[in-house]
């Protein structure tokens, strides 16, 4: 009879914990609490640890996070894999219940009020979704590209929480889950799918941004997107299909058409650009379809499908933007893209944030000496706009230091992912990295005006227990799985 020595197992586990990740984690949360104190500082000189202050409350959340983290590390790692689906289903039910029982807070029904504490279930849905997706990929003989139904199963796990969170009218939190597409790419998803998504984003931005000026009687944005579609189509035929002849002939055909259209325009003979591009695309697709039977049909069909889908998507942009997005969402996008100047309204936060960051210069104004910060010019500065406090008080040097810590943490998580011996651990680690990258990129983009303001907190920095606990659970489950990697085999 084998007797397991639990004390030795626990000691071995704690020795195997990735302490570099823990040091980076603590560095970020402590710097975050100090930045919250700076962002909410008043001239009464209240203590940083005063529970009546936001910083004091944040230190309380940090203390509770330590307890949560230690508890997670003491739980057997097999529990997380064994109960991945029940945890996921439980969080889905919680998200569903939240829709109906959560109070209306600024138009959103996403916060559960439990006495003096408010919790946002969407923040805890991250680790639950990561566990479920990891469980799926660790299933016996599961391979993403094995059959189409595997894609469907993975996407269902990702999009169910997105739908429920959107029903709570919390668009920003819902968008975070789309970052898991990068995990699918790491696990074998075709790069064409990721490329198509990036193209869709570019088409949307260009179509909306340049919707007013006209070229050949059509909006400039449509004209630019049409040209992009043509260029991408030719490039796919040349590099993806390896069909030099078709690519060359279509290029020559468009060059001749361009010369003809340019000549007609010079003599004030304007043709309808939309008709011109659609007709020429139909001819190019028809020519490709006729000739492709001499070559590899599959890749040519993919290229043709990409063109058709691109055109349909481009024509749907205006409908989605004007009919589906809410007016405040439309305005935020317009302000971000520079279509509308509204520095006293929707653009006020971002404008004041950029002033704060710019005024910090190279080395900053010093701790508690930021005028934009101490005079409360930036609304919500201790939550979504906490990074501008760092920029103003610590300047370029402080901002780069914080971003470097985030970079080191993300790179460390990717390193942890690649040393895992199971698909479960690897996928979970990449889920963790994807969530962090998305939060970091979008939050910093919001603060400096590159992304619309959609209410995404800066991990470990922004004030709030839900976000901090959610990321703590996400990260410490990874540390627990990683600490036991030597005991596991594929």
């Amino acid at each position: 009879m084998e007797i397991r020595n639990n004390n030795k197992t626990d000691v071995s586990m704690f020795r195997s914990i990735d302490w570099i990740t823990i040091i980076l984690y603590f560095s970020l949360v402590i710097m975050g609490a100090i930045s919250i104190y700076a962002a909410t500082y008043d001239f009464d000189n209240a203590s940083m640890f005063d529970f009546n202050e936001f910083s004091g409350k944040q230190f309380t959340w940090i203390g509770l996070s330590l307890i949560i983290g230690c508890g997670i590390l003491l739980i057997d790692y097999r529990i997380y894999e064994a109960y991945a689906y029940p945890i996921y289903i439980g969080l889905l039910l919680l998200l569903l219940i939240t829709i109906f029982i959560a109070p209306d807070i600024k138009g959103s029904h996403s916060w559960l009020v439990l006495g003096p504490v408010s919790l946002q279930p969407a923040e805890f849905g991250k680790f639950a979704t990561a566990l479920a997706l990891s469980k799926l990929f660790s299933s016996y003989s599961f391979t993403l590209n094995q059959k189409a139904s595997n894609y469907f199963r993975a996407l269902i796990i990702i999009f169910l929480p997105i739908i429920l969170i959107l029903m709570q009218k919390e668009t920003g939190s819902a968008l975070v889950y789309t970052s898991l597409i990068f995990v699918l790419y790491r696990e074998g998803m075709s790069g064409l799918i990721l490329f198509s998504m990036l193209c869709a984003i570019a088409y949307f931005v260009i179509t909306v941004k340049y919707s007013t000026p006209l070229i050949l009687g059509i909006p400039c944005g449509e004209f630019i997107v049409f040209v992009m579609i043509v260029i991408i189509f030719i490039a796919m035929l040349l590099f993806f299909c390896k069909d030099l002849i078709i690519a060359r002939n279509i290029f020559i055909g468009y060059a001749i058409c361009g010369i003809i259209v340019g000549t007609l325009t010079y003599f004030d003979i304007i043709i309808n650009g939309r008709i011109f591009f659609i007709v020429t695309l139909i001819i190019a697709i028809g020519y490709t379809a006729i000739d492709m039977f001499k070559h590899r049909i599959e890749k040519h069909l993919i290229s043709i499908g990409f063109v058709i889908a691109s055109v349909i998507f481009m024509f749907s942009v205006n409908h989605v933007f004007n009919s589906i997005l809410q007016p405040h969402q439309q305005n935020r996008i317009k302000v971000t893209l520079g279509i509308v100047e509204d520095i006293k309204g929707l653009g006020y936060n971002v404008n004041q944030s950029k002033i704060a960051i710019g005024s910090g210069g190279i080395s900053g104004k010093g701790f508690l000496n930021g005028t934009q910060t101490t005079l409360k010019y930036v609304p919500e500065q201790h939550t979504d706009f906490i990074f501008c406090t760092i920029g103003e008080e610590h300047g370029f040097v402080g901002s780069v230091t914080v971003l470097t810590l985030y970079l080191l943490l993300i790179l460390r998580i990717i390193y942890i992912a690649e040393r895992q011996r199971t698909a479960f651990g690897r996928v979970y680690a990449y889920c963790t990295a994807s969530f962090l990258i998305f939060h970091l990129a979008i939050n910093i983009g919001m603060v400096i005006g590159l992304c619309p303001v959609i209410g995404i907190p800066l991990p470990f920095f922004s004030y709030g227990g839900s976000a901090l606990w959610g990321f703590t659970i996400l990260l410490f489950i990874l540390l627990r799985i990683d600490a036991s990697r030597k005991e596991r085999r594929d």
Side-chain angles (χ1 to χ4, degrees):
M1 179 177 178
E2 181 181 355
I3 299 176
R4 184 180 177 183
N5 192 325
N6 289 326
N7 291 332
K8 289 185 177 180
T9 302
D10 292 341
V11 171
S12 176
M13 185 272 293
F14 275 101
R15 286 178 179 173
S16 301
I17 289 175
D18 193 86
W19 290 102
I20 294 176
T21 301
I22 290 182
I23 291 170
L24 292 170
Y25 164 80
F26 277 115
S27 299
L28 288 169
V29 296
I30 296 301
M31 292 173 67
I34 294 172
S35 297
I36 290 169
Y37 175 69
T40 58
Y41 174 77
D42 57 33
F43 297 99
D44 293 333
N45 296 319
S47 170
M48 184 184 297
F49 303 99
D50 187 345
F51 186 75
N52 293 320
E53 301 294 321
F54 286 110
S55 58
K57 294 177 182 177
Q58 188 70 5
F59 274 110
T60 302
W61 308 143
I62 292 173
L64 292 172
S65 295
L66 296 181
I67 297 173
I68 293 171
C70 290
I72 289 171
L73 294 177
L74 292 173
I75 296 174
D76 192 314
Y77 68 90
R78 289 178 283 257
I79 294 293
Y80 302 115
E81 186 171 357
Y83 291 94
Y85 288 147
I87 292 172
Y88 176 73
I89 294 172
L91 260 297
L92 288 181
L93 292 175
L94 183 60
L95 289 172
L96 180 62
I97 293 171
T98 303
I99 298 171
F100 301 101
I101 67 174
D104 188 324
I105 301 176
K106 297 181 180 180
S108 171
H109 295 267
S110 59
W111 290 87
L112 293 177
V113 179
L114 306 173
V117 179
S118 296
L119 295 176
Q120 189 175 25
E123 295 294 341
F124 302 99
K126 295 185 181 73
F127 80 86
T129 306
L131 285 173
L133 198 62
S134 303
K135 178 69 173 179
L136 176 66
F137 276 91
S138 65
S139 302
Y140 179 73
S141 72
F142 181 90
T143 304
L144 192 61
N145 292 320
Q146 187 177 27
K147 49 187 177 181
S149 62
N150 287 350
Y151 273 100
F152 179 76
R153 292 162 66 187
L155 291 175
I156 281 292
I157 289 175
I158 294 173
F159 279 95
L160 279 178
I162 291 177
I163 293 169
L164 292 175
I165 296 170
L166 285 175
M167 292 174 67
Q168 298 173 4
K169 298 182 179 179
E170 191 66 34
T171 307
S173 297
L175 288 176
V176 172
Y177 290 79
T178 61
S179 64
L180 295 178
I181 295 297
F182 293 105
V183 179
L184 303 189
Y185 175 70
R186 167 59 182 83
E187 294 301 313
M189 184 182 75
S190 171
L192 283 174
I193 297 176
L194 190 60
F195 177 72
S196 299
M197 295 172 63
L198 295 175
C199 285
I201 295 172
Y203 295 162
F204 182 88
V205 171
I206 292 171
T207 303
V208 173
K209 169 76 173 176
Y210 302 103
S211 59
T212 303
L214 299 179
I215 298 179
L216 298 181
I218 62 175
C220 180
E222 282 190 18
F223 178 87
I224 296 172
V225 171
F226 268 126
V227 172
M228 289 176 62
I229 292 172
V230 170
I231 293 173
I232 293 173
F233 184 36
I234 295 173
M236 290 184 71
L237 291 172
L238 183 60
F239 299 107
F240 179 62
C241 301
K242 307 294 184 182
D243 198 329
L244 175 62
I245 296 175
I246 295 181
R248 180 198 63 193
N249 293 344
I250 291 178
F251 175 77
I252 292 173
Y254 268 104
I256 294 172
C257 289
I259 294 171
I260 294 173
V261 171
T263 302
L264 293 175
T265 304
Y266 178 78
F267 290 104
D268 295 328
I269 302 174
I270 305 298
I271 65 171
N272 188 294
R274 190 174 287 122
I275 294 176
F276 165 75
F277 276 109
I278 290 176
V279 171
T280 53
L281 278 175
I282 290 174
I283 294 172
I285 291 172
Y287 171 65
T288 304
I290 292 172
D291 198 60
M292 72 181 181
F293 293 102
K294 302 176 185 177
H295 307 277
R296 296 183 64 182
I297 298 177
E298 180 182 355
K299 290 190 175 182
H300 287 76
L301 285 176
I302 292 174
S303 301
I304 291 172
F306 175 85
V307 171
I308 295 173
S310 295
V311 174
I312 293 173
F313 180 85
M314 183 198 64
F315 284 134
S316 69
V317 167
N318 286 327
H319 171 71
V320 171
F321 186 77
N322 295 316
S323 302
I324 296 179
L325 293 182
Q326 298 295 321
H328 71 278
Q329 295 171 330
Q330 297 175 22
N331 292 330
R332 285 177 179 175
I333 292 174
K334 288 179 180 179
V335 169
T336 302
L337 296 179
I339 300 172
V340 175
E341 294 290 338
D342 188 17
I343 60 175
K344 294 184 178 180
L346 289 172
Y348 178 80
N349 286 32
V350 175
N351 184 60
Q352 294 298 324
S353 174
K354 290 192 289 186
I355 291 173
I357 293 174
S359 65
I362 298 296
S363 58
K365 298 177 179 178
F367 184 59
L368 302 181
N369 290 327
T371 53
Q372 292 289 114
T373 297
T374 54
L375 295 177
K376 308 296 184 291
Y377 280 110
V378 185
E380 308 297 335
Q381 191 166 348
H382 61 296
T383 54
D384 299 340
F385 285 83
I386 189 67
F387 188 75
C388 70
T389 302
I390 302 164
E392 183 179 26
E393 296 191 346
H394 306 287
F396 177 78
V397 173
S399 299
V400 170
T401 300
V402 171
L403 292 177
T404 301
L405 288 174
Y406 276 113
L407 176 62
L408 291 174
L409 177 60
I410 291 168
L411 291 177
R412 190 65 186 178
I413 291 172
I414 294 174
Y415 170 76
I416 290 172
E418 291 300 326
R419 73 183 182 188
Q420 296 306 300
R421 300 183 178 185
T422 65
F424 183 85
R426 183 181 66 250
V427 172
Y428 186 87
Y430 273 106
C431 288
T432 304
S434 296
F435 282 132
L436 281 172
I437 292 170
F438 190 90
H439 267 268
L440 180 64
I442 299 301
N443 182 273
I444 301 299
M446 283 165 36
V447 171
I448 63 178
L450 294 180
C451 297
V453 179
I454 54 176
I456 290 182
L458 186 62
F460 312 122
F461 260 77
S462 294
Y463 171 78
S466 293
L468 178 60
W469 293 347
F471 275 109
T472 297
I473 295 171
L474 184 71
L475 186 61
F476 274 76
I477 288 177
L478 171 61
L479 292 173
R480 183 63 185 93
I481 294 171
D482 177 64
S484 303
R485 66 188 181 278
K486 295 180 181 179
E487 304 174 31
R488 300 162 67 93
R489 296 290 188 273
D490 279 316

